[in-house]
């Protein structure tokens, strides 16, 4: 490791760690980022997981928050090689008998496919989409008095609800399926709060900014961020695992793009017992079982509209998805799981050889699961796309336990950095006025274990950097 003494050290080169480093370097601080793996990126890595020429995102795949994030809006994305590609349909949801629901960029076009629920859908979404910038200012940060209270109140009235409660305003299967598919991203049972808020936020983002993929793979986000950091004088060192704080050079601040379990292991002796006990009670969520496919041709969905969607939520009706997620929360494996799919090569042909395609997908499983869910996942896809198995050239699978082995931050396969229910949404990792700080004035959290939680938005890192600058004026 470098023997220099920078102003700040960041442990972990995921998007939040890199965002923290960029914000500190932009403020004139010298920064070094240490990454344990050979490659940077954390949840934004891309690799040829199946066959040569097929580029698969290892974790994060679709990036509405890159466009909505106040942090990323300040970066010259195109100049950094981060080109966003939009599918014709942001996301869709197949239903039986060739039916389905699609969320288009246009609210009105979406509503037209929802029958009698269309007017109610417009009334719900239009005011929120019109005030996206003000909403993001309040949603993507720690608990605080909102700068736009009326806008936040309108959003919060529905966002505080469960997905089950939000879906109750709709009667048709299509609108209710949209709520379920987006709400299940939370990795929580759909009768728990704030799954309605997750559904509402992701759906309004589809209308306001779209659900794009990054040309060439999510790895380009990390590469662009590193290039920007280096232009500001920052340094990134890979192949440098940190097992103890004593291994690091002296610095005024150390920021951890890690979850509480890793921070306790590395820096527990530098933290007071009461705070350590609070960190030890941090709750992790369920894991994922992930499959990446190399395909001969696009997925043969029964519904034409699903064939144009960048993201597809598979699982049937609201009630079916609710049952599957409830079983998962009880530590069981669902027989018909909710499956989240991304058809990235539709919008970004560079992901696969000419004429071929990639497919990315996962289902939720109990924490630490080692069960191979390939047959179960593919049966769900076949249900809505008969003949799917016939177009598979190759597949790569990872169990929940494989994910933790790959990246210790994914405890039990939890890619969200911890349960994000109502209690642990804002009060993560512990209840503090500034959740990015610790009782040790030198140590800070900058990971998805702080508000606003999971997702490629960089805001956890940005807010942590601002906390450093405020504490160490």
């Amino acid at each position: 490791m470098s023997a220099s003494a920078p102003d700040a050290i960041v442990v972990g080169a995921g998007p939040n760690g890199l965002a923290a480093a960029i914000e500190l370097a932009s403020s004139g601080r010298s920064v070094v980022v240490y990454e344990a793996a050979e490659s940077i990126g954390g949840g934004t890595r891309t690799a040829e997981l199946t066959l040569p020429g097929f580029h698969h995102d290892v974790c994060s795949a679709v990036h509405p928050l890159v466009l909505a994030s106040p942090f990323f809006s300040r970066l010259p994305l195109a100049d950094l090689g981060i080109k966003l590609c939009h599918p014709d349909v942001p996301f869709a949801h197949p239903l039986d008998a060739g039916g389905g629901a699609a969320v288009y960029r246009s609210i009105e076009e979406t509503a037209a496919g929802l029958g009698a629920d269309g007017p109610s859908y417009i009334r719900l979404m239009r005011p929120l989409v019109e005030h996206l910038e003000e909403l993001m200012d309040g949603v993507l940060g720690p608990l605080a008095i909102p700068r736009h209270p009326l806008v936040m109140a309108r959003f919060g009235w529905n966002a505080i609800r469960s997905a089950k409660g939000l879906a109750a305003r709709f009667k048709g299967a299509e609108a209710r399926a949209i709520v379920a598919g987006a709400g299940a991203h939370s990795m929580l049972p759909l009768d728990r709060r704030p799954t309605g808020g997750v559904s509402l936020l992701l759906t309004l983002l589809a209308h306001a900014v779209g659900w794009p993929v990054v040309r060439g793979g999510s790895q380009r986000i990390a590469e662009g961020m590193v290039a920007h950091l280096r232009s500001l004088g920052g340094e990134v060192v890979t192949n440098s695992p940190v097992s103890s704080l004593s291994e690091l050079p002296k610095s005024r601040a150390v920021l951890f793009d890690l979850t509480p379990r890793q921070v306790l292991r590395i820096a527990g002796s530098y933290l007071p017992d009461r705070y350590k006990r609070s960190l030890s009670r941090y709750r992790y969520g369920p894991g994922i079982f992930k499959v990446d496919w190399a395909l001969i041709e696009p997925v043969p969905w029964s519904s034409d509209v699903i064939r144009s969607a960048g993201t597809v939520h598979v699982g049937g009706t609201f009630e079916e998805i609710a049952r599957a997620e409830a079983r998962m929360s009880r530590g069981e494996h669902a027989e018909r799981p909710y499956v989240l799919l991304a058809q990235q090569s539709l919008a970004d042909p560079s992901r696969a050889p000419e004429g071929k395609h990639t497919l990315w997908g996962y289902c939720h499983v109990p924490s630490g699961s080692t069960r191979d869910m390939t047959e179960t996942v593919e049966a769900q896809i076949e249900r809505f796309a008969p003949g799917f198995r016939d177009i598979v050239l190759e597949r790569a699978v990872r169990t929940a336990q494989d994910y933790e082995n790959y990246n210790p931050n994914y405890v039990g396969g939890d890619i969200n950095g911890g349960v994000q229910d109502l209690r642990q949404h804002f009060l993560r990792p512990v209840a503090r006025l500034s959740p990015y700080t610790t009782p040790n004035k030198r140590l800070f959290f900058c990971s998805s274990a702080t508000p606003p939680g999971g997702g490629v938005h960089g805001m956890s890192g940005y807010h942590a950097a601002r906390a450093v600058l405020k504490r160490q004026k």
Side-chain angles (χ1 to χ4, degrees), residues 48-107:
E48 294 181 330
L49 299 176
T50 55
L51 296 171
F54 289 84
H55 301 280
H56 305 275
D57 288 329
V58 178
C59 188
S60 64
V62 183
H63 299 287
L65 286 169
V66 168
L67 288 176
S69 162
F71 168 77
F72 277 107
S73 68
R74 300 166 56 194
L75 299 186
L77 298 180
D79 294 342
L80 296 174
I82 304 171
K83 181 180 180 181
L84 297 167
C85 304
H86 288 269
D88 293 339
V89 178
F91 72 88
H93 193 117
L95 293 167
D96 289 315
V103 173
Y104 299 89
R105 290 293 300 273
S106 165
I107 298 174

Side-chain angles (χ1 to χ4, degrees), residues 191-245:
D191 60 356
R192 290 177 62 182
R193 298 184 293 174
T195 51
V198 172
S199 181
L200 197 58
L201 175 63
L202 292 178
T203 305
L204 76 89
L205 286 173
H207 293 306
V209 299
W211 279 26
V213 300
V214 179
R215 180 174 176 80
S218 297
Q219 184 82 38
R220 300 290 175 87
I221 297 174
E223 292 170 351
M225 294 178 78
V226 167
H228 189 58
L229 174 62
R230 286 175 172 155
S231 75
L232 297 170
E235 181 183 356
V236 178
V237 184
T238 57
N239 283 313
S240 297
V242 177
S243 59
S244 172
L245 199 60

Side-chain angles (χ1 to χ4, degrees), residues 37-284:
E38 293 182 5
S39 62
I40 49 127
T44 54
R45 294 191 177 108
T46 303
E48 294 181 330
L49 299 176
T50 55
L51 296 171
F54 289 84
H55 301 280
H56 305 275
D57 288 329
V58 178
C59 188
S60 64
V62 183
H63 299 287
L65 286 169
V66 168
L67 288 176
S69 162
F71 168 77
F72 277 107
S73 68
R74 300 166 56 194
L75 299 186
L77 298 180
D79 294 342
L80 296 174
I82 304 171
K83 181 180 180 181
L84 297 167
C85 304
H86 288 269
D88 293 339
V89 178
F91 72 88
H93 193 117
L95 293 167
D96 289 315
V103 173
Y104 299 89
R105 290 293 300 273
S106 165
I107 298 174
E108 288 73 21
E109 189 175 5
T110 303
L114 302 181
D117 287 322
S120 179
Y121 184 87
I122 292 173
R123 288 194 299 272
L124 175 66
M125 300 306 305
R126 181 180 286 157
L128 300 176
V129 172
E130 290 174 348
H131 294 281
L132 178 73
E133 186 174 343
E134 297 97 319
L135 275 176
M136 291 302 99
D137 181 67
V139 171
L140 295 181
L143 188 63
I145 298 173
R147 292 198 298 169
H148 307 281
L150 294 180
V151 174
M152 287 302 297
R154 179 187 288 272
F155 175 73
W157 178 256
N158 287 294
I160 199 69
R161 307 173 74 181
S162 67
K164 181 179 179 180
L166 182 64
R169 69 182 292 142
F170 301 120
K171 303 301 180 184
E174 290 80 8
R176 291 172 59 81
I178 288 172
V179 174
H185 280 249
S186 66
M187 302 176 77
L188 293 169
L190 297 186
D191 60 356
R192 290 177 62 182
R193 298 184 293 174
T195 51
V198 172
S199 181
L200 197 58
L201 175 63
L202 292 178
T203 305
L204 76 89
L205 286 173
H207 293 306
V209 299
W211 279 26
V213 300
V214 179
R215 180 174 176 80
S218 297
Q219 184 82 38
R220 300 290 175 87
I221 297 174
E223 292 170 351
M225 294 178 78
V226 167
H228 189 58
L229 174 62
R230 286 175 172 155
S231 75
L232 297 170
E235 181 183 356
V236 178
V237 184
T238 57
N239 283 313
S240 297
V242 177
S243 59
S244 172
L245 199 60
S246 62
E247 299 173 0
L248 295 172
K250 292 182 179 179
S251 64
R252 294 184 64 196
V254 178
L255 296 85
F256 296 105
D257 189 7
L258 308 171
T259 71
R261 184 174 296 183
Q262 292 80 47
V263 173
L264 283 170
R265 177 176 56 82
I266 293 170
S269 61
Y270 296 83
L271 297 167
D273 290 343
R274 183 175 180 181
Y275 183 76
K276 287 193 292 184
R277 286 194 296 271
S278 295
L279 284 183
S280 69
R281 292 192 290 269
Y282 187 76
R283 293 174 293 128
Y284 291 92

Side-chain angles (χ1 to χ4, degrees), residues 152 340 369 412 438 440:
M152 287 302 297
L340 176 58
S369 170
T438 74
N440 185 319

